[in-house]
Amino acid sequence: MRFSLTSGGTKNAGQVTTTSEQTERRLDCNDPYGSVSALTRARPTNAVIKALDLKAGDPFGRTWRDRTGATLFRAEAWGATSGKGQHAEENTGNRLKCRVDRLLAFLSSSGSRLVLLVKAQKHLRDDTRSPLHRRGRHRQFPFRTETLIVTLCPVKGARFVRRIPAVVRSAVASLPTDARRDLEARIEAIHHSQSKARKR
């Protein structure tokens, strides 16, 4: 059984995935199917690579194998470029597949849980009931967004969270405005608020 997850953007020690630092297309710059996503595909973080003793199966990091040669992670990327110059648009995507048994073993040995954010958006371009927003000369069509948080525990299994608890929202709201987008600051504030709640 395999499990798929998308890549994270930063390289915190608590993450499972990160992205490659090789981002220039160079010879592929004029190839409409030479997407930059092939060079920025998801990969395990250095902490995960070290803990599981992984090695890349090729220079592009498409697979990651353990010391027995078994493939634990498989990185997939896709995309295409439309338009040219300042009108060029990249349509890309990537995912990292991993073996569930090894993922659960890693979470158990490190005393960790995997937290997933699932975000779905619907473009309301054809919805006559939705208002249009303007920025300069350009019209902006709104999106309807739904989110779901899943926590994966090696002992208790998966837990789905559809609504963020009030204590968590309050903890994040208490942070300075410039710190609210900092994942580490948010986690620390949430942990602190929950510790205070347990002491009461």
Side-chain angles (χ1 to χ4, degrees), residues 133-151:
H133 302 281
R134 287 188 176 275
R135 177 176 293 179
R137 297 181 178 179
H138 303 286
R139 292 190 304 170
Q140 292 188 321
F141 296 89
F143 288 85
R144 180 175 293 125
T145 303
E146 293 287 342
T147 59
L148 172 68
I149 293 176
V150 183
T151 60

Side-chain angles (χ1 to χ4, degrees), residues 40-69:
T40 57
R41 66 181 71 226
R43 60 181 288 272
T45 59
N46 291 335
V48 174
I49 292 172
K50 182 178 180 180
L52 299 179
D53 194 18
L54 301 177
K55 291 189 181 298
D58 62 26
F60 298 100
R62 286 179 285 200
T63 58
W64 292 85
R65 300 170 181 168
D66 63 12
R67 64 176 64 184
T68 68

Side-chain angles (χ1 to χ4, degrees), residues 118-179:
V118 182
K119 181 178 178 181
Q121 287 186 315
K122 179 183 179 182
H123 195 193
L124 301 179
R125 185 184 185 95
D126 299 324
D127 191 339
T128 57
R129 296 169 298 175
S130 65
L132 293 178
H133 302 281
R134 287 188 176 275
R135 177 176 293 179
R137 297 181 178 179
H138 303 286
R139 292 190 304 170
Q140 292 188 321
F141 296 89
F143 288 85
R144 180 175 293 125
T145 303
E146 293 287 342
T147 59
L148 172 68
I149 293 176
V150 183
T151 60
L152 183 61
C153 173
V155 177
K156 298 182 179 180
R159 176 172 174 258
F160 299 89
V161 181
R162 285 298 305 269
R163 181 170 175 80
I164 307 300
V167 64
V168 173
R169 295 199 304 272
S170 177
V172 174
S174 67
L175 290 171
T177 303
D178 58 347

Side-chain angles (χ1 to χ4, degrees), residues 167-194:
V167 64
V168 173
R169 295 199 304 272
S170 177
V172 174
S174 67
L175 290 171
T177 303
D178 58 347
R180 292 177 189 171
R181 292 184 177 274
D182 187 320
L183 179 61
E184 187 173 349
R186 290 164 67 103
I187 292 176
E188 185 176 344
I190 294 169
H191 178 71
H192 181 67
S193 67
Q194 290 180 332

Side-chain angles (χ1 to χ4, degrees), residues 6-12 15 17-21 40 42-43 45 94 183:
T6 56
S7 64
T10 57
K11 298 183 179 179
N12 296 326
Q15 288 188 290
T17 68
T18 183
T19 53
S20 170
E21 296 178 354
T40 57
R43 60 181 288 272
T45 59
N94 65 75
L183 179 61

